[in-house]
């Protein structure tokens, strides 16, 4: 039984795990704990990470100099296809355990083994339809006694008149499979409904609230679920470049300011979901998404994998400095059959991440800020020093991470940066920026300069670096 970081580091020395992920930031707790020897990603790691964490890094972005605004699956496929040429003979004879963010694709194994290495993939943990299809998921929640929004399944196009009669003036249409808000549409008018294409299935639901809460859970090898820390989901923040329903980050301190009864209902529902997942054979970390209105809490979906907020949860857990295992590391170890010991931490936590996206036409980023810790002075972000994440963030600082390399072409919707802070950057519902948050985002934009297809666009003066 692995109970402490010291135990884990002895087990992991030398590191034998290979990370495969869209963004290196998502596996930061594994890098900090020495769990990875190599990492493959769609987007490039921030400068200095290879030396800082003693890991071999490969990304597609460093070769193509293109940062996309969509899903990363195709990019990871292309990168793994190039892998034998990137590693040469260095991996020959090595045995690597997979530490993946989400689903594993079988052809990744063939690509890794073409280098001469052997890839150990953890066995699939539960493949039930309820874990990937929102329609089946909602029905399953009902069997568990977990409240959900009123909904229906529609084939073909949307009949706005009938749906408006059932759900009111505003309702939500979703593709049954999707994540991070992709495939989710707010329908306010007949024109909105007509603009959506015909599909085999649309999941149409009432618009049940403006505040979204995510709760982490964990099911160990012993089958016992744990309810971990909740976070406010930052959703659809237009000032940060997000569309409706699009994931914009998370705030782990904000639940302290929400209705206690609604939060308690989310925690209770997450425990019910955890027991249900255990019964399906699932093991590892999961996240449950809820929408809140006053004291009401309704479950939307679950993600049986690491989430975009899991890395920040790991930073908060590592910051306790009491030797506990971060949940992300427990997830990887237990997936490979190593039992671990951990317990929820109920103490208040202060950690926020905000994703800021490029909203213009594709353009080359000829001027890009350096990753690190910054402080806002007179509307300008001034760099203070190196920082990889929340652990290096002071109380008055903002850490910039997940930056594109200079010279990269950013497509519409591509990530400009993530702002990591100790203080909330949004209103309590996670939908709009505070004045301070807006000042941070505006100052971030001024750190960039772009060259478009036809003309140069200079976003403003460069930040002085002391």
């Amino acid at each position: 039984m692995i109970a402490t970081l010291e135990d884990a580091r002895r087990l992991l020395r030398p590191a034998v795990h290979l990370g495969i992920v869209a963004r290196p930031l998502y596996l930061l707790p594994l890098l900090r704990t020495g769990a990875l020897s190599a990492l493959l990603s769609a987007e490039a790691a921030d400068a200095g990470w290879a030396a800082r964490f003693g890991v071999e890094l490969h990304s597609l972005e460093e070769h193509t100099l293109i940062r996309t605004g969509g899903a990363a699956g195709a990019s990871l496929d292309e990168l793994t296809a190039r892998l034998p040429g990137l590693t040469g003979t260095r991996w020959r004879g090595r045995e690597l355990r997979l530490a993946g963010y989400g689903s594993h694709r079988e052809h990744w194994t063939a690509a890794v083994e073409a280098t001469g290495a052997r890839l150990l993939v953890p066995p699939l943990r539960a493949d039930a339809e309820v874990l990937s299809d929102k329609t089946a998921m909602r029905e399953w929640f009902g069997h568990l006694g977990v409240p959900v929004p009123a909904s229906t399944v529609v084939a073909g196009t949307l009949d706005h008149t009938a749906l408006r009669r059932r759900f009111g003036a505003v309702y939500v249409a979703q593709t049954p499979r999707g994540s991070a808000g992709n495939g989710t549409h707010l329908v306010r008018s007949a024109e909105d409904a007509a603009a959506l294409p015909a599909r085999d299935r649309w999941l149409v639901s009432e618009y049940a609230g403006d505040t979204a809460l995510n709760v982490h859970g964990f099911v160990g090898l012993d089958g016992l679920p744990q309810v971990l820390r909740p976070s406010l989901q930052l959703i659809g923040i237009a000032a940060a470049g997000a569309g409706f329903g699009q994931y914009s980050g998370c705030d782990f301190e904000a639940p302290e300011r929400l209705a206690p009864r609604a939060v308690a209902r989310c925690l209770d529902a997450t425990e019910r979901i955890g027991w249900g997942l255990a019964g399906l054979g699932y093991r590892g970390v999961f996240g449950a998404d809820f929408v809140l209105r006053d004291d009401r809490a309704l479950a939307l979906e679950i993600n049986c994998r690491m989430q975009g907020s899991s890395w920040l949860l790991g930073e908060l857990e590592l910051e306790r400095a009491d030797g506990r295992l971060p949940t992300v590391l427990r997830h990887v170890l237990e997936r490979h059959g190593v039992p671990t010991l951990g317990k929820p931490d109920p103490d208040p936590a202060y950690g926020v991440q905000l994703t800021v996206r490029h909203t213009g036409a594709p353009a080359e980023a000829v001027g890009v800020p350096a990753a690190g810790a910054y402080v806002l002075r007179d509307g300008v972000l001034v760099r203070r020093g190196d920082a990889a994440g929340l652990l290096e963030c002071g109380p008055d600082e903002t850490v910039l991470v997940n930056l594109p390399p200079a010279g990269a072409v950013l497509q519409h919707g591509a990530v400009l940066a993530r702002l990591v802070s100790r203080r909330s950057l949004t209103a309590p519902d996670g939908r709009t920026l505070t004045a301070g948050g807006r000042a941070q985002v505006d100052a971030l934009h001024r750190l960039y300069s772009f060259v478009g297809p036809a003309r140069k666009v200079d976003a403003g003066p460069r930040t002085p670096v002391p």
Side-chain angles (χ1 to χ4, degrees), residues 27 73 135 173 186 214 216 280 307 335-336 343 394 397 426 464:
L27 299 186
T135 302
L186 184 68
N214 173 266
H216 272 85
L280 293 175
Q307 303 176 100
R335 284 291 185 96
H336 284 280
K343 61 180 180 179
E397 293 178 334
T426 68

Side-chain angles (χ1 to χ4, degrees), residues 30-47:
L30 299 182
L31 292 168
R32 289 197 189 274
T33 54
L36 299 181
S37 57
L39 189 151
L40 310 179
S41 58
E43 295 179 359
D46 291 323

Side-chain angles (χ1 to χ4, degrees), residues 159-186:
D159 182 340
H160 178 67
T161 301
L163 293 171
R164 180 188 177 103
R165 188 180 306 118
R166 178 168 181 177
F167 296 117
V170 180
Y171 56 89
V172 178
Q174 295 175 286
T175 55
R177 296 174 185 268
S179 62
N182 297 313
T184 298
H185 309 272
L186 184 68

Side-chain angles (χ1 to χ4, degrees), residues 384-408:
R384 279 186 170 174
D386 293 339
L390 185 70
L391 294 190
E392 297 85 17
C393 183
D396 64 337
E397 293 178 334
T398 299
V399 174
L400 305 187
V401 293
N402 197 189
L403 301 160

Side-chain angles (χ1 to χ4, degrees), residues 382-427:
V382 181
R383 192 173 189 273
R384 279 186 170 174
D386 293 339
L390 185 70
L391 294 190
E392 297 85 17
C393 183
D396 64 337
E397 293 178 334
T398 299
V399 174
L400 305 187
V401 293
N402 197 189
L403 301 160
V409 172
L410 273 61
Q411 297 182 350
H412 181 83
V415 173
L416 274 176
R418 291 171 195 262
L419 306 183
V420 180
S421 175
R422 299 284 180 177
R423 291 182 282 190
S424 293
L425 302 173
T426 68

